[in-house]
Amino acid sequence: MADNQETILLKIKEQGDLVRKLKAAKESNEKIQEEVAKLLALKAQLAPEDAAPQKFSLKTPKGTRDYNPQQMSLRNGVLDKIVAIFKRHGGECIDTPVFELKDVLTGKYGEDSKLIYDLKDQGGEILALRYDLTVPLARYLAMNKINTLKRYHIGKVYRRDNPAMTRGRYREFYQCDFDIAGQYDPMVPDAECLKVVTEILESLEIGQYVLKVNHRRLLDGMFEVCGVPADKFRTACSAVDKLDKSPWEEVRSEMINEKQISPDAADRIGEYVRLNGGVELVEKLLKDEKLSKTKAAVEGLEGVKLLLEYCELFGIKDKILFDLSLARGLDYYTGVIYEAVLTQPIKIGNEDQTVGSIAAGGRYDNLVGMFDSKHKQVPCVGLSIGVERIFSVMEAKLAAGVISVRTNDIDVYVASAQKNFLEERMKICAELWNAGIKTEQSYKKNPKMLNQLQHCEDNGIPIAVVLGESELKRGVVKVRNVTSRQEDEIPREKLVEELKARIAALSVKDVNGSA
Amino acid sequence: MADNQETILLKIKEQGDLVRKLKAAKESNEKIQEEVAKLLALKAQLAPEDAAPQKFSLKTPKGTRDYNPQQMSLRNGVLDKIVAIFKRHGGECIDTPVFELKDVLTGKYGEDSKLIYDLKDQGGEILALRYDLTVPLARYLAMNKINTLKRYHIGKVYRRDNPAMTRGRYREFYQCDFDIAGQYDPMVPDAECLKVVTEILESLEIGQYVLKVNHRRLLDGMFEVCGVPADKFRTACSAVDKLDKSPWEEVRSEMINEKQISPDAADRIGEYVRLNGGVELVEKLLKDEKLSKTKAAVEGLEGVKLLLEYCELFGIKDKILFDLSLARGLDYYTGVIYEAVLTQPIKIGNEDQTVGSIAAGGRYDNLVGMFDSKHKQVPCVGLSIGVERIFSVMEAKLAAGVISVRTNDIDVYVASAQKNFLEERMKICAELWNAGIKTEQSYKKNPKMLNQLQHCEDNGIPIAVVLGESELKRGVVKVRNVTSRQEDEIPREKLVEELKARIAALSVKDVNGSA
């Protein structure tokens, strides 16, 4: 290991050539083996063990991506705001493993189960990557016999879907969930979930949105009065769920041709799902000749009515739209369902794109019971923020220069105007770090002054401490305002105090600036 | 779906009994089939699709665990402190996918490659869960042709190891890494990594520790002068690495019997690896008859000498121990290596346990080049904080009552002294949430006063707003200090202002209390 990598690689090449030459010349096996041994010894010197050039394409797996510092800054900014609101509502944080026993996931996602990532059977348990954070929550509640919990969970989930990455659809993506578990009075936690969604979307300033609500019991009642057999409610639901992306004619045709729903029934469904409105629509439907005689529909409508009343008390009525076309694909919902969508397209790249759902959720009262040997239920209602889509919108804004972002928080850069100041810089850095000041310096012994100041400007570092020989002799250092380029001499022993004052002043300015 | 789950389950039981009775009575096949069809129809009504009782044991996969709210509070507290220090040093955050192309991981971990979790081949790419955050960083740098980066990364990694969970060893665990990539002057970024480790361990107040340092070049030189052949340097290294857990006699026997190192060479190694000290030991070894004539050893010793000088400038010399027995198992290190260990055992459960390494790292100058088709190197040095072990220590302290933790941040609970105050509570909650006040209420329409106050005490909520009919008529509400039980009447319209003042006063008290 006495030679560096390049020298070894050169020697390997030469030795390889020699071996090839001997083989071509049909030299004795003994001689060839001797030189091959030398070649192998050289290769063994390469650290780490195998330094053969890369043969595979250097990429992340299909449907996944790295987040660079700029993207992480955006992402962390978004998540910090979301978490602050979860905490404002008393959310407690939990975390679960990224994989579960395969059995835990089986039978929870209907048609989508084929999208689950399985782990290889390497001896031991059969495992799969989690598909969402809701089923792990239900497993957690049942396993620990917990009856009440208000929790948030931010983590990655995995779906072997066709990625559409420019629109924020990945195979690995963050979910950001808030759920309230417990036996409570109707619609009280449900309304709070809607309140949480509005607070989050408003704090993110992502654009105009509407929060659509509907009720699974109403959908069931609606399908019933339209003449759909009970065993086709779920499949009808997943057809209706496509109305946000496809026109009615397509959905109708899917119902009739793929789901074997009669054309008459489909047409009756078509009449209902074009309805949306507020409490007046609820009142109207409660008087609907057929729905009013169907237990499920009345339960659903009464639920929506109560929910809308609570939303008015919470001051969010104007954000809510009762919409009979909202269905939600997942099997496990049993009560209220909701979905927030942006009402205006967003420019991503050069195109106006419809972003679609940016938050969604609903009530699922039977899921926890599926994990309990005695089917003991823990009613739950929750929401999931579509953070990947929100990130995509923010990244588009960043690319368009509408917003900007710093990737580090450094306040002070310690620079030197002359050579041989590394030791002095190090002492000052340590002093500033120990005082909690976010500080950086060059890792070169003798960096150029221009490069050091350029680094400050490139990275938005507001203050530079500039060391010079004459100043140090007089017991002072220069403190430079990077933006204005104004420099002041500060007594060396007052440096920390002075910098703290300047940083405090900057953050006050920041707050005022952004207000 | 018109009936609830319980009713359906009851009907299924009855129908099942009927079918069994018919079969027992050997009724006609047609009749039995008719009733079986009814049974299946009932089962189909069970939402979601499969509600048969759980047959599998309800658990997380081997070697993994859930984090409950208390554990997450601890964990987030620890990570927040660590991230603050990474940012203090200008760290930028990145994230990478939890799985990589298998080829990315192949040939990077030596003997430990067998511990990699593979994903099942479901058609498409061959994937594996990441084993650490270092190889993904190297892949990221090479793929994006990045030459300089100071990044931190916190994420879960996966190893199919034998878990020892009480000691903080899991198959899924958090890593928490800080790395500096770039071509810089010797030991300048390396010394900063050591400074970062000391700042983190001190801010966590985890106990007395020592930060051992050594150098891979010195180890190579040492093996050379002891008579180990060059192709056995790495294997000798992994034997020496076991000295923190095993006595010298065992390591010696492994060297001789398993690694085919001569007893003479092993004994010479034994002389060196018992040495540790400070700069005086470096000076002594630089005069060592054999080492002083070996290029690798001299390079390593000069490196350690410079590093110790820089550590003195950073004011952390007293934490550093130059220790020739430190080897580090991983193949990819090329320069300085280090490891922080607690010097006192920690009581976990009823036992005193040696926690072992709680931070480690080193220089790896060749790893990025392994991903580059032209072997272009990006020198790197980094550190990894052993957060799982730190969590274990903190959890043990929590269990022993040495520290305490709140799982939510709620400041205000809105309670009602009488029935039928849900609407009023909701209006007040919305007002407080909109003012950014962390607020909770009961999700029951008519909760008992005692239960509401008990909830505040159980959860450490400091302030309760208590609504009563007579107060509301007079335009006031009661504000209660939960600890002192003192209640004051506050004009309804001044409520937000009053609560903000009380919360501000509490947080000042907190700061003073914890100082």
Side-chain angles (χ1 to χ4, degrees):
Chain A
M1 302 290 299
D3 293 294
N4 67 29
Q5 192 91 343
E6 279 72 27
T7 321
I8 299 174
L9 285 168
L10 191 67
K11 286 187 184 170
I12 287 174
K13 195 187 162 295
E14 289 168 355
Q15 187 68 21
D17 289 343
L18 177 60
V19 169
R20 275 183 292 278
K21 211 154 65 179
L22 295 176
K23 282 183 178 171
K26 297 201 193 294
E27 282 280 346
S28 77
N29 213 17
E30 195 184 309
K31 182 148 183 100
I32 292 176
Q33 284 314 317
E34 199 179 307
E35 298 301 327
V36 166
K38 281 186 201 163
L39 178 61
L40 291 176
L42 279 168
K43 284 192 175 171
Q45 280 182 60
L46 275 178
E49 63 185 271
D50 176 12
Q54 288 300 129
K55 296 252 168 45
F56 60 93
S57 62
L58 207 52
K59 62 184 285 293
T60 61
K62 182 179 177 189
T64 70
R65 61 165 168 176
D66 296 319
Y67 288 85
N68 67 28
Q70 231 180 13
Q71 291 165 325
M72 281 306 278
S73 259
L74 273 184
R75 176 192 163 280
N76 287 336
V78 168
L79 293 183
D80 284 352
K81 283 183 182 173
I82 293 174
V83 167
I85 291 163
F86 289 162
K87 286 187 173 177
R88 189 190 288 165
H89 288 262
E92 301 183 316
C93 188
I94 72 161
D95 194 16
T96 64
V98 84
F99 43 65
E100 294 276 350
L101 299 181
K102 173 84 184 185
D103 284 339
V104 167
L105 306 187
T106 301
K108 308 301 184 301
Y109 301 108
E111 291 174 11
D112 289 345
S113 295
K114 63 181 183 297
L115 303 182
I116 293 173
Y117 276 97
D118 293 331
L119 267 74
K120 190 169 164 181
D121 180 1
Q122 291 172 294
E125 298 161 332
I126 303 301
L127 307 173
L129 297 186
R130 65 186 171 200
Y131 183 86
D132 64 11
L133 302 177
T134 310
V135 167
L137 169 65
R139 192 265 306 145
Y140 173 83
L141 292 172
M143 180 175 135
N144 297 290
K145 309 221 173 287
I146 295 169
N147 296 317
T148 62
L149 181 69
K150 185 156 55 177
R151 82 91 176 78
Y152 68 92
H153 188 180
I154 294 170
K156 287 174 169 182
V157 302
Y158 299 87
R159 301 182 184 179
R160 295 179 60 255
D161 213 338
N162 279 327
M165 304 204 279
T166 54
R167 298 173 59 190
R169 275 176 53 136
Y170 293 87
R171 288 182 159 199
E172 175 190 58
F173 58 97
Y174 280 95
Q175 274 199 343
C176 193
D177 285 14
F178 180 89
D179 294 81
I180 303 172
Q183 183 73 56
Y184 297 120
D185 277 306
M187 294 297 164
V188 185
D190 314 59
E192 183 164 340
C193 286
L194 298 185
K195 175 77 175 120
V196 168
V197 171
T198 63
E199 285 180 44
I200 286 170
L201 296 182
E202 263 144 57
S203 90
L204 294 175
E205 296 173 355
I206 196 166
Q208 292 292 316
Y209 66 91
V210 62
L211 189 41
K212 298 179 185 175
V213 303
N214 199 0
H215 199 292
R216 271 284 164 95
R217 299 287 287 145
L218 172 57
L219 283 167
D220 289 343
M222 180 184 89
F223 292 134
E224 192 181 329
V225 305
C226 292
V228 177
D231 61 350
K232 291 210 169 114
F233 286 0
R234 282 286 161 274
T235 190
C237 226
S238 64
V240 170
D241 186 48
K242 290 171 185 158
L243 276 175
D244 57 340
K245 284 170 207 126
S246 315
W248 166 248
E249 276 313 312
E250 268 178 42
V251 171
R252 181 180 182 274
S253 139
E254 180 182 326
M255 282 186 181
I256 297 168
N257 300 322
E258 293 172 37
K259 316 273 185 183
Q260 279 80 48
I261 290 169
S262 74
D264 268 6
D267 289 337
R268 277 184 224 119
I269 293 170
E271 293 296 314
Y272 283 117
V273 294
R274 70 186 53 168
L275 301 176
N276 60 65
V279 72
E280 74 296 338
L281 177 61
V282 182
E283 298 292 0
K284 195 183 128 196
L285 292 175
L286 275 170
K287 288 176 200 139
D288 180 282
E289 202 190 337
K290 286 175 182 160
L291 292 178
S292 63
K293 286 173 193 135
T294 313
K295 192 179 160 206
V298 173
E299 275 182 34
L301 285 166
E302 295 288 359
V304 173
K305 190 177 161 190
L306 187 61
L307 182 68
L308 293 180
E309 279 170 27
Y310 289 158
C311 285
E312 184 160 11
L313 292 168
F314 278 159
I316 57 169
K317 200 183 76 170
D318 59 323
K319 303 294 182 193
I320 310 288
L321 181 73
F322 168 42
D323 187 333
L324 274 84
S325 75
L326 177 72
R328 308 276 307 133
L330 286 172
D331 274 6
Y332 50 61
Y333 291 119
T334 54
V336 62
I337 49 177
Y338 38 85
E339 193 167 286
V341 291
L342 294 185
T343 49
Q344 283 152 352
I346 296 280
K347 204 177 263 307
I348 294 180
N350 286 321
E351 289 171 62
D352 275 351
Q353 290 199 359
T354 313
V355 177
S357 160
I358 50 168
R363 174 164 285 282
Y364 49 102
D365 286 348
N366 298 335
L367 189 60
V368 178
M370 292 177 71
F371 292 105
D372 188 89
S373 53
K374 288 171 190 157
H375 277 295
K376 189 176 170 309
Q377 306 292 2
V378 179
C380 294
V381 62
L383 62 97
S384 189
I385 303 294
V387 281
E388 294 294 340
R389 291 186 180 178
I390 292 170
F391 296 156
S392 291
V393 173
M394 306 290 266
E395 283 173 23
K397 287 185 180 179
L398 186 71
V402 180
I403 52 173
S404 69
V405 68
R406 270 189 79 182
T407 57
N408 75 38
D409 290 347
I410 291 295
D411 288 318
V412 177
Y413 191 88
V414 178
S416 53
Q418 284 123 344
K419 285 193 171 186
N420 301 323
F421 269 85
L422 176 62
E423 298 195 357
E424 197 57 34
R425 280 194 279 130
M426 284 184 139
K427 273 194 265 180
I428 289 183
C429 280
E431 194 180 331
L432 302 191
W433 287 325
N434 291 345
I437 297 173
K438 289 170 239 163
T439 306
E440 239 180 13
Q441 64 155 339
S442 168
Y443 294 125
K444 298 203 167 163
K445 277 184 97 150
N446 295 310
K448 293 195 178 100
M449 189 62 193
L450 198 64
N451 292 349
Q452 295 173 85
L453 294 178
Q454 191 63 46
H455 178 91
C456 294
E457 294 194 1
D458 291 348
N459 291 279
I461 301 171
I463 304 167
V465 171
V466 184
L467 308 184
E469 197 151 4
S470 74
E471 289 87 359
L472 274 180
K473 273 185 191 146
R474 287 184 289 120
V476 298
V477 292
K478 277 191 200 156
V479 174
R480 180 182 170 110
N481 178 317
V482 174
T483 315
S484 71
R485 302 184 178 186
Q486 153 111 21
E487 289 186 345
D488 303 293
E489 287 193 350
I490 307 294
R492 175 68 185 77
E493 73 276 11
K494 298 224 163 169
L495 181 61
V496 165
E497 194 184 323
E498 170 72 17
L499 292 173
K500 283 193 166 180
R502 288 190 181 216
I503 292 163
L506 281 170
S507 66
V508 169
K509 224 171 115 193
D510 268 6
V511 170
N512 293 340
S514 73
Chain B
M1 302 289 298
D3 292 293
N4 68 29
Q5 190 91 346
E6 280 72 29
T7 321
I8 299 173
L9 286 169
L10 191 66
K11 285 188 186 170
I12 288 175
K13 194 185 164 297
E14 288 168 357
Q15 188 68 19
D17 290 343
L18 177 60
V19 169
R20 274 183 290 279
K21 210 156 64 180
L22 295 176
K23 284 182 178 171
K26 298 201 194 295
E27 282 282 346
S28 77
N29 211 21
E30 195 186 309
K31 182 147 183 102
I32 291 175
Q33 284 313 317
E34 199 180 305
E35 299 300 329
V36 166
K38 283 186 200 161
L39 179 61
L40 292 176
L42 280 168
K43 282 191 176 171
Q45 281 182 57
L46 275 179
E49 61 188 90
D50 177 9
Q54 288 298 130
K55 297 254 169 43
F56 58 95
S57 61
L58 206 53
K59 63 185 282 295
T60 61
K62 182 178 178 188
T64 70
R65 62 165 166 175
D66 297 318
Y67 288 87
N68 66 29
Q70 227 179 19
Q71 291 165 326
M72 281 306 278
S73 256
L74 272 184
R75 175 192 162 279
N76 287 336
V78 167
L79 293 183
D80 284 351
K81 283 183 183 174
I82 293 173
V83 167
I85 290 162
F86 289 163
K87 287 187 172 179
R88 189 189 289 166
H89 288 262
E92 300 183 315
C93 188
I94 72 161
D95 194 16
T96 64
V98 84
F99 44 66
E100 295 276 349
L101 297 181
K102 173 84 184 187
D103 284 341
V104 167
L105 307 187
T106 301
K108 310 298 185 300
Y109 301 108
E111 290 175 15
D112 287 344
S113 295
K114 64 180 184 295
L115 303 182
I116 293 173
Y117 275 97
D118 294 331
L119 267 72
K120 189 169 164 183
D121 181 0
Q122 291 171 293
E125 299 163 332
I126 303 300
L127 307 173
L129 297 186
R130 65 186 173 202
Y131 184 85
D132 64 11
L133 302 176
T134 309
V135 167
L137 170 65
R139 192 264 306 145
Y140 172 85
L141 293 171
M143 180 174 135
N144 297 290
K145 310 228 174 283
I146 295 169
N147 296 319
T148 61
L149 181 69
K150 184 156 56 176
R151 84 88 175 81
Y152 68 93
H153 188 179
I154 294 170
K156 288 174 170 182
V157 302
Y158 299 87
R159 300 182 185 180
R160 296 178 61 254
D161 213 338
N162 279 328
M165 305 204 279
T166 52
R167 296 173 61 191
R169 275 177 53 139
Y170 293 87
R171 289 181 157 197
E172 175 191 57
F173 57 98
Y174 281 94
Q175 273 199 342
C176 191
D177 283 16
F178 179 90
D179 292 81
I180 303 172
Q183 184 70 58
Y184 297 120
D185 278 307
M187 294 297 165
V188 186
D190 314 56
E192 185 164 340
C193 286
L194 297 185
K195 174 76 173 125
V196 169
V197 171
T198 63
E199 285 180 41
I200 287 171
L201 297 182
E202 264 146 55
S203 89
L204 294 175
E205 296 173 351
I206 196 166
Q208 292 292 315
Y209 64 91
V210 62
L211 188 43
K212 299 179 183 175
V213 303
N214 199 1
H215 200 294
R216 272 283 166 97
R217 301 285 290 141
L218 172 58
L219 282 167
D220 290 342
M222 178 184 92
F223 292 134
E224 192 181 329
V225 305
C226 293
V228 178
D231 61 352
K232 292 213 169 110
F233 285 2
R234 282 288 161 273
T235 191
C237 228
S238 63
V240 170
D241 186 48
K242 292 173 184 156
L243 275 175
D244 56 342
K245 287 171 204 126
S246 314
W248 166 247
E249 276 313 313
E250 269 177 40
V251 171
R252 179 180 184 275
S253 138
E254 178 182 328
M255 284 184 177
I256 297 168
N257 299 321
E258 293 170 37
K259 317 274 187 184
Q260 277 80 47
I261 291 169
S262 74
D264 267 8
D267 290 338
R268 278 185 223 117
I269 293 169
E271 293 295 314
Y272 282 118
V273 296
R274 71 185 53 169
L275 301 176
N276 58 65
V279 73
E280 74 297 334
L281 176 60
V282 182
E283 299 290 2
K284 195 183 127 197
L285 293 175
L286 275 170
K287 289 177 199 138
D288 179 280
E289 200 189 339
K290 286 175 181 158
L291 291 180
S292 63
K293 286 175 194 137
T294 313
K295 193 178 160 205
V298 174
E299 276 182 33
L301 286 166
E302 294 289 358
V304 173
K305 190 176 163 190
L306 188 59
L307 182 68
L308 294 179
E309 281 170 24
Y310 290 159
C311 286
E312 184 157 13
L313 292 168
F314 278 158
I316 57 169
K317 200 182 77 170
D318 58 325
K319 304 292 181 192
I320 311 286
L321 180 74
F322 168 41
D323 186 333
L324 276 85
S325 74
L326 178 71
R328 308 275 307 132
L330 286 171
D331 273 7
Y332 50 61
Y333 290 118
T334 55
V336 62
I337 47 177
Y338 38 85
E339 193 167 287
V341 291
L342 293 184
T343 48
Q344 282 151 351
I346 296 279
K347 200 173 269 303
I348 294 181
N350 286 320
E351 289 172 63
D352 275 351
Q353 292 200 358
T354 313
V355 178
S357 160
I358 49 167
R363 174 163 286 282
Y364 50 101
D365 285 348
N366 298 335
L367 189 59
V368 179
M370 291 176 71
F371 292 105
D372 188 90
S373 53
K374 288 169 189 158
H375 277 296
K376 187 176 170 308
Q377 305 291 3
V378 178
C380 295
V381 62
L383 62 96
S384 189
I385 303 293
V387 280
E388 296 292 342
R389 289 185 182 179
I390 292 171
F391 296 155
S392 292
V393 174
M394 306 291 266
E395 283 173 24
K397 285 186 182 178
L398 186 70
V402 181
I403 52 173
S404 68
V405 69
R406 268 190 78 182
T407 57
N408 75 38
D409 289 348
I410 291 296
D411 287 318
V412 177
Y413 191 87
V414 179
S416 52
Q418 283 121 343
K419 285 195 170 182
N420 302 322
F421 269 85
L422 176 62
E423 299 194 356
E424 197 57 36
R425 279 195 278 132
M426 283 184 139
K427 275 194 264 181
I428 290 182
C429 280
E431 193 180 330
L432 302 190
W433 287 327
N434 292 344
I437 297 174
K438 290 170 235 159
T439 306
E440 237 179 13
Q441 63 154 343
S442 168
Y443 293 123
K444 300 205 166 161
K445 278 183 95 151
N446 296 308
K448 294 198 179 97
M449 190 61 195
L450 198 65
N451 291 349
Q452 295 174 83
L453 293 178
Q454 190 63 47
H455 178 91
C456 295
E457 293 194 3
D458 291 348
N459 291 279
I461 301 172
I463 303 167
V465 171
V466 184
L467 308 184
E469 198 153 3
S470 73
E471 289 87 0
L472 275 180
K473 275 187 191 146
R474 286 184 288 122
V476 299
V477 292
K478 276 190 200 157
V479 174
R480 179 183 172 110
N481 179 317
V482 173
T483 316
S484 71
R485 303 184 178 185
Q486 154 113 22
E487 290 187 346
D488 303 293
E489 287 193 353
I490 307 294
R492 176 67 187 74
E493 73 276 11
K494 298 225 163 166
L495 181 60
V496 166
E497 194 185 321
E498 170 72 18
L499 291 174
K500 283 193 166 178
R502 287 188 180 215
I503 292 163
L506 282 169
S507 67
V508 169
K509 223 171 114 192
D510 268 8
V511 170
N512 293 341
S514 74

